[in-house]
Each structure stands twice: as C-alpha cells, then as structure tokens.
Amino acid sequence: LKPNTTYWYRISSNDNIWSDIHHFHSMDENIGNVNGPHLRVGVIADIAYDKNSDDTVNSLKKVVDNKEIDLLLVVGDMSYADGYQRHWDDYLRKIQFISSRVPMMVSPGNHEFWYGFAAYRARFAMPMYNATENMYYSYDINDVHFYAMNTESVIDVGSVFRDQQFFMDYDLDQAKGSTWRIVYGHRPLYCGSGSSDCTKWANRLRNQAEDILYKNNADLVLSGHVHNYQRMYPTYKEKKMDENYDSPKAPVYITNGAAGNREGLTKRTIDKDYQAFAA
C-alpha cells in the first residue's frame, strides 16, 4: 500500500455477491518513528456481540470517523459468542464500521476457547509463525514493536506454554532496537480484584512470562479479562521499580477489560504499592 493514501474497496464471494463499498486511509510512512507522527492506538477487551457493548462501539465509531486512532487492539474475549457462530457473525457485523477503516489486531481470550479456538483461528488473519493460527505473533510499525501473547489453553486455564516462551524470548530480544516494545495478551500478570484471576492465575503467568518481559525491556503490557481499568507503576517481582512512565526500568502493566458484556464490571481494589490507578 502507498502511505498516507485513501483506498476504496469492496469484497466479493465466489458466487459474485458483492459487499458494500468501504474505505480506509493508510498510515503515514514515518508513523511511530521518534521524529514522525504519533501512533495512536485504541485498546479494548471483553467486548460482547449484544447491547452491553453499545457504548464502547459507539465511542469507537466516533474516534474512527474523526480519524483519531490509527490501530485497534482487541485483547481477547471478543463477541462472547462462546462457540455459537451466529453470535460471532453478529459481533463482526457490529464492529464492521471500525474494522473496515483501521487495522484491527487481536489476541485470544478464554471466551474463544470453544472447539479448540476454531472460530478465532478461522475468522482472523494475523501474522503467522509455525502455523500458530493467530495464537501468538509479532509485527512492527516502524519504531514500535508489538507482540501478541497467547495466555490461553484448551482447558480454559491461563498459561504461557514453553514453545511460546522460547519464541517470545527470541522475538523480544530481536526487537531491542525498537523505541517501544508493547506486549498484549488477554489475562493479566498484575491486577487487583480479590479474585483468583489476580492472585493464583496472575502469579502463574508471572512465573511463566515475567522474566522474559523484564529481561527484554518490554515497555508496556496490555491485558483484559478483569472487567475494569487498572494501571500499574513500572513493576517487577511485585515491586514498584520507579514512577517514571517515560523511561521505565520495568514494564508498565495496564488492564482494561471494561468494554461491555453480560458479566458486568469487576470490583476493583488498590492494596499494593505497585498499583497506580483503578476505576
């Protein structure tokens, strides 16, 4: 694609049925570079196909229409279809105005695990390594390196398995020349809610992935799963390393799973010194 160019397009099926005409504007060739335009990223997670996500979708439509974001990350639990394909269709139609206008990059959540993540694997086309079918991958937008982390398993238990640990370690090491290294995956390594998601399972994920993120200078780790907004100070081994967000000595962790679904919001707590904000 040519940079900074508007494209109009439509899609046809094998039996010559055509979609409506859509359009998008490609990114500036220097976006995300130190001296280039800022890369503006929208981040959501835990978003349903039904009316519970109306406020989020309507807000996203406005910022997309006003050209206020360049990229959308959906960090797991998209649609809440739970294996029911018609609800997947409902969800994708609902967000079509957004996903047809800006790049939408996804990572798997626990509500995608039905039938071995079959719908998630089939409905998206992310960069692929070793036939992982969208489960984990990475890409660059100039000086910004993104790593999509898979925190899921086929038995609905959070885990970063050994094969991904090796790949993530190699990938982030290769990206040390990037100005920013952003990692996103559904389940949080750090959060506060009083539930096992923020104690037992977060501790398991930290044991599997935190050293890799810290050693390879990850700057920002984004997650969902817990249905509220929480931001941590730069943190390592459950200790606040500093309060400098501009040049952190450890990753900054943000949980944002409040996009709207039938399970509602999660009670938030701030009881650790590494927690900066919860809402």
Side-chain angles (χ1 to χ4, degrees):
L1 300 176
K2 294 180 180 179
N4 206 23
T5 301
T6 298
Y7 286 87
W8 297 82
Y9 69 98
R10 58 178 180 163
I11 301 166
S12 72
S13 64
N14 291 333
D15 49 2
N16 204 34
I17 297 175
W18 290 86
S19 73
D20 294 334
I21 296 175
H22 302 284
H23 71 278
F24 68 93
H25 194 83
S26 59
M27 295 181 185
D28 187 281
E29 61 184 339
N30 293 311
I31 198 167
N33 287 334
V34 173
N35 296 318
H38 292 306
L39 177 65
R40 303 162 302 173
V41 184
V43 183
I44 57 173
D46 301 85
I47 179 170
Y49 70 91
D50 58 20
K51 64 181 180 180
N52 289 294
S53 63
D54 284 355
D55 288 344
T56 297
V57 171
N58 290 335
S59 295
L60 279 171
K61 286 179 178 178
K62 290 179 182 178
V63 297
V64 168
D65 218 20
N66 292 332
K67 299 181 180 180
E68 294 173 350
I69 63 171
D70 306 297
L71 172 70
L72 177 65
L73 306 181
V74 186
V75 191
D77 279 8
M78 61 206 79
S79 82
Y80 272 69
D82 291 334
Y84 187 40
Q85 298 307 308
R86 182 172 178 178
H87 288 167
W88 269 109
D89 294 339
D90 292 339
Y91 169 73
L92 291 169
R93 291 189 183 101
K94 184 172 186 175
I95 65 166
Q96 178 174 276
F97 179 87
I98 300 160
S99 60
S100 65
R101 301 277 295 276
V102 297
M104 187 180 81
M105 308 301 283
V106 300
S107 62
N110 56 298
H111 279 271
E112 281 80 75
F113 92 103
W114 296 82
Y115 312 114
F117 299 89
Y120 171 83
R121 293 175 189 269
R123 288 175 179 265
F124 300 100
M126 301 293 106
M128 293 175 64
Y129 296 99
N130 299 322
T132 61
E133 295 181 280
N134 308 320
M135 300 304 288
Y136 58 87
Y137 58 91
S138 69
Y139 55 97
D140 296 292
I141 300 179
N142 289 323
D143 280 346
V144 185
H145 182 77
F146 291 91
Y147 181 88
M149 177 171 57
N150 177 21
T151 63
E152 306 307 310
S153 68
V154 295
I155 58 172
D156 197 10
V157 172
S159 190
V160 178
F161 291 111
R162 188 65 60 87
D163 58 347
Q164 185 184 185
Q165 291 175 27
F166 288 136
F167 176 77
M168 182 163 61
D169 191 16
Y170 170 80
D171 179 85
L172 292 176
D173 177 68
Q174 295 296 301
K176 284 184 176 178
S178 300
T179 303
W180 294 98
R181 291 152 299 279
I182 299 174
V183 177
Y184 56 96
H186 183 59
R187 298 185 194 233
L189 277 67
Y190 283 99
C191 60
S193 71
S195 72
S196 60
D197 289 317
C198 297
T199 53
K200 176 182 178 180
W201 299 116
N203 184 64
R204 175 176 176 164
L205 292 172
R206 289 197 298 272
N207 288 338
Q208 294 171 329
E210 185 175 25
D211 283 343
I212 297 172
L213 298 171
Y214 179 74
K215 179 184 74 170
N216 292 297
N217 306 122
D219 297 294
L220 179 64
V221 181
L222 303 167
S223 63
H225 193 59
V226 177
H227 299 171
N228 55 34
Y229 175 83
Q230 301 179 46
R231 183 176 71 247
M232 312 298 160
Y233 291 109
T235 301
Y236 180 60
K237 299 296 185 184
E238 299 186 77
K239 292 183 180 179
K240 179 173 62 174
M241 301 297 288
D242 55 37
E243 298 184 12
N244 184 0
Y245 289 116
D246 293 327
S247 183
K249 296 178 181 178
V252 171
Y253 293 87
I254 293 178
T255 296
N256 180 22
N261 61 71
R262 61 179 177 270
E263 295 174 350
L265 297 176
T266 302
K267 181 180 178 181
R268 74 271 189 193
T269 59
I270 298 181
D271 54 10
K272 304 290 186 181
D273 64 357
Y274 54 74
Q275 291 177 271
F277 184 79

